[in-house]
Amino acid sequence: MRLRALLETDALGLRLLGGEDELDRTVRGVMTTDLRDPSRYLSGGELVLTGLAWRREPADSERFVRILAAAGVAGLAAGEAEMASIPDDLVVACGRHRMPLFSVDEDVSFAFITEHVVRQVSSERAGDLAAVVDRHRRLMTSGPAGGGPEVVLDLLGSDLDLRAWVLSPTGRPIAGSSLAGAGPELPAEVSAALAGEHLAASRTGRRGPYRVTAGGGTYSLFPVHSSGRAASARDVRETVLSDWLLVVEADAGDWSEERLDLLHGVTQLIAVERDRRDAARTVRRRLAQEVLELVQAGAAPAEIAARLRVAAPVLLPGLGTAPHWQVVVARVEWQGGDIPGGPVAQALLEEVLVDPDATGPEPSDRIAVAHTGDEAVALVPLPAVLTGAEEPAPASAGLHADSLLGAVREPLARGLADDGRLTFGVSAAVHSAEGLRGALEEARHARRVAAARPGRVCAAGHQELASHVLLLPFVPDDVRRAFTARLLDPLRDYDHRHRAELIPTLEAFLDCDGSWTRCATRLHLHVNTLRYRVGRIEQLTGRDLSRLEDKLDFFLALRMS
């Protein structure tokens, strides 16, 4: 609101003493103070109300008004209750600093003025927000040139001082206001925490917005539901791991219903953009589906290679070299088995596999994901990494299972709650159509290894398929229990009775490849003490730790336990 509007409201009892040329200043709040230096409590745009208790001598007026002007205060209103009239030195100081000065009738309380200003500012800001939504709705409906979610977030920042971001379900920043500090991104740990809170709240059926404190800040979270998926979903589990999230750095708990309704309108506009991006992925999904069907049908390598040549320019625009490829398989399973996991796994792969070094408005443009049943399969192109066209990509190239889920495991686990599981398998990189079928089988085997592990979100890579790790998950439970009990139970019982630490000693001895010196150093023991413990292990189990076969049995028993 403007200062002029306050002056024209007779009930406020304001009389202008100076600054008529400044009456079009915008009032953004109100503050009552009698501090000699209130600068620490001023942010600019306030109407300052004062009873002049800070004034002890005429020189104080100049100092006080200079502080207000430096803080960007909109105007000063001085009460007449303590003095018969406003001091001339205050009028002069306000004139020197171009500070509008009002006197407040002694019959009007500061509380009444404060209530009036707060009510008017809140009402006008709600109107501004309505204008934001309306303006962006026109932008969005006018076509793709609307500018995406960044436009509405910038308007929220410029018109309402609201810092806002759009996050993916894993916490990846999709868009942010250009006014949001140094850049559009929240700190990674804060983004992950907010995404996890959003997913946990969605699973429990809470209605947004959700109030969350993270990283020392307070945020309100508004779910962004994809209109296409939400319309056909029968269960929240069908969409919870794919919905976006609007984060506003504010506490919406004390907002009016009108203001909340307008923010929900903003989420609907962002959902339109989400649907557009989903539609843009249709070509990549179709390419992946065609390649997958050819590979699974045992098509000739030449036919698969031809399809890959079509896919490469779409997935790697601007690159003239044929890429290497990796295959990633994901599976989402819900208890009960009546919720289809394939579409959810597809959306998650498109999110998790985003190249962090990619540029442009939609970095997932370089990922093609198909789904069938509860399984999703991603065809991930890698730029050629070697000069020889026939050489395979090195083992270090491309995606690695151990780092694939590092930043997203915690949020996704909260969305899966206690009735869902997400497992990934990653193949090695291949350089030809001939290797694609093997890569698909390799990724599926790796996913089954991940599925045999505990935890809501697990991944395994091709490196693990060439070791005992591949075999152990598939040992039947009764065989596993019998094998470990026969070898380890005597040691556990002895440790329990005597606190002898035979099990930790056995683990360290095997980790040190049977080296007495290295093992004793690691355990901070004398070598003779170590020899005594190993002898006790052999006596209790009837095994000989100098024999390779017995060492291997102990090694596998420890891994299976």
Side-chain angles (χ1 to χ4, degrees):
M1 65 182 305
R2 307 289 181 181
L3 285 173
R4 189 181 306 279
L6 293 176
L7 186 62
E8 294 170 351
T9 304
D10 294 338
L12 298 181
L14 297 178
R15 182 166 58 91
L16 183 66
L17 300 180
E20 184 175 1
D21 294 340
E22 305 294 332
L23 291 180
D24 285 327
R25 290 187 180 185
T26 300
V27 178
R28 298 170 59 186
V30 62
M31 177 187 178
T32 300
T33 184
D34 277 313
L35 295 172
R36 293 172 63 84
D37 181 2
S39 58
R40 73 184 68 179
Y41 304 110
L42 297 171
S43 58
E46 296 92 350
L47 173 67
V48 173
L49 305 176
T50 181
L52 301 177
W54 48 266
R55 183 184 179 276
R56 299 170 186 172
E57 58 183 9
D60 290 340
S61 294
E62 167 65 24
R63 180 175 179 274
F64 185 78
V65 174
R66 184 172 64 248
I67 290 171
L68 299 189
V73 166
L76 174 64
E80 297 179 345
E82 297 295 327
M83 297 184 179
S85 62
I86 304 303
D88 290 340
D89 48 86
L90 181 59
V91 176
V92 171
C94 286
R96 184 180 298 116
H97 292 282
R98 302 180 64 83
M99 176 65 62
L101 176 63
F102 304 88
S103 66
V104 181
D105 190 283
E106 62 180 347
D107 294 330
V108 178
S109 70
F110 284 175
F112 179 77
I113 296 175
T114 299
E115 182 181 352
H116 176 84
V117 172
V118 170
R119 185 169 59 249
Q120 292 298 316
V121 169
S122 297
S123 176
E124 291 190 10
R125 285 197 170 188
D128 289 343
L129 184 55
V132 167
V133 175
D134 183 63
R135 284 155 61 188
H136 194 63
R137 180 174 287 112
R138 291 197 297 270
L139 286 170
M140 296 290 286
T141 56
S142 65
E150 291 84 356
V151 174
V152 71
L153 298 186
D154 284 345
L155 291 174
L156 289 175
S158 61
D159 290 13
L160 299 174
D161 298 324
L162 289 175
R163 289 162 33 106
W165 299 263
V166 177
L167 303 181
S168 78
T170 65
R172 179 176 66 89
I174 293 168
S177 168
S178 62
L179 304 180
E185 293 190 5
L186 288 164
E189 62 277 8
V190 174
S191 298
L194 294 176
E197 290 290 339
H198 155 64
L199 292 174
S202 297
R203 286 305 313 274
T204 58
R206 287 172 51 199
R207 293 187 59 187
Y210 324 118
R211 180 185 181 277
V212 177
T213 300
T218 299
Y219 304 89
S220 294
L221 313 182
F222 294 81
V224 178
H225 300 295
S226 173
S227 58
R229 290 174 180 164
S232 59
R234 300 166 298 164
D235 189 296
V236 67
R237 292 175 293 180
E238 295 183 43
T239 59
V240 65
L241 297 180
S242 57
D243 285 340
W244 284 359
L245 170 67
L246 173 65
V247 175
V248 179
E249 191 178 31
D251 184 354
D254 57 355
W255 286 4
S256 66
E257 287 297 324
E258 292 79 5
R259 191 178 182 89
L260 288 173
D261 287 343
L262 290 170
L263 261 294
H264 286 303
V266 171
T267 67
Q268 292 172 6
L269 297 179
I270 296 172
V272 172
E273 178 64 18
R274 171 65 192 272
D275 291 341
R276 282 184 176 172
R277 296 193 184 188
D278 274 350
R281 291 172 174 169
T282 302
V283 173
R284 299 193 299 278
R285 289 172 173 173
R286 187 171 64 246
L287 286 171
Q289 193 71 42
E290 291 175 355
V291 172
L292 177 63
E293 290 174 356
L294 288 173
V295 170
Q296 293 187 133
E303 186 177 358
I304 299 174
R307 186 60 60 188
L308 289 177
R309 284 194 294 272
V310 172
V314 176
L315 301 178
L316 291 172
L319 295 181
T321 57
H324 293 82
W325 303 91
Q326 271 183 287
V327 175
V328 180
V329 172
R331 191 178 183 91
V332 173
E333 298 171 290
W334 303 102
Q335 288 182 7
D338 56 340
I339 304 298
V344 179
Q346 181 182 47
L348 280 176
L349 275 183
E350 289 172 336
E351 164 61 31
V352 173
L353 297 178
V354 168
D355 180 0
D357 298 322
T359 58
E362 183 49 68
S364 63
D365 281 347
R366 297 184 175 184
I367 300 165
V369 186
H371 78 81
T372 174
D374 289 333
E375 181 185 77
V377 179
L379 189 64
V380 183
L382 306 171
V385 292
L386 296 176
T387 55
E390 296 304 319
E391 295 183 71
S396 60
L399 303 168
H400 293 268
D402 53 358
S403 59
L404 186 63
L405 302 181
V408 302
R409 179 177 278 107
E410 179 60 27
L412 292 180
R414 301 195 68 182
L416 291 162
D418 58 357
D419 61 347
R421 287 204 75 202
L422 171 65
T423 50
F424 289 89
V426 183
S427 79
V430 297
H431 70 286
S432 67
E434 288 85 348
L436 207 55
R437 183 182 181 90
L440 176 60
E441 291 303 315
E442 192 173 57
R444 283 176 169 161
H445 280 305
R447 192 209 63 79
R448 285 193 286 270
V449 170
R453 296 171 175 168
R456 291 291 167 190
V457 183
C458 298
H462 61 93
Q463 301 92 338
E464 301 177 58
L465 302 185
S467 74
H468 66 279
V469 176
L470 173 62
L471 303 176
L472 296 185
F474 304 104
V475 176
D477 288 343
D478 56 343
V479 175
R480 181 195 303 262
R481 286 191 295 269
F483 183 75
T484 57
R486 186 167 61 252
L487 282 175
L488 301 183
D489 279 2
L491 307 182
R492 292 193 181 106
D493 292 342
Y494 191 87
D495 281 347
H496 180 70
R497 293 194 308 271
H498 302 283
R499 298 182 180 179
E501 298 188 357
L502 296 185
I503 292 289
T505 300
L506 176 61
E507 290 176 331
F509 186 73
L510 295 176
D511 285 343
C512 293
D513 297 324
S515 169
W516 297 99
T517 303
R518 282 194 289 131
C519 184
T521 301
R522 175 184 293 191
L523 296 176
H524 305 289
L525 297 174
H526 191 278
V527 172
N528 289 340
T529 303
L530 175 61
R531 291 185 183 278
Y532 172 80
R533 289 188 182 180
V534 170
R536 178 64 67 183
I537 291 171
E538 293 175 334
Q539 180 184 12
L540 291 170
T541 60
R543 299 299 185 105
D544 181 357
L545 278 169
S546 66
R547 298 178 65 248
L548 176 61
E549 293 86 347
D550 288 342
K551 286 180 182 177
L552 180 59
D553 283 349
F554 278 122
F555 175 81
L556 293 175
L558 289 169
R559 291 297 181 272
M560 286 192 291
S561 64

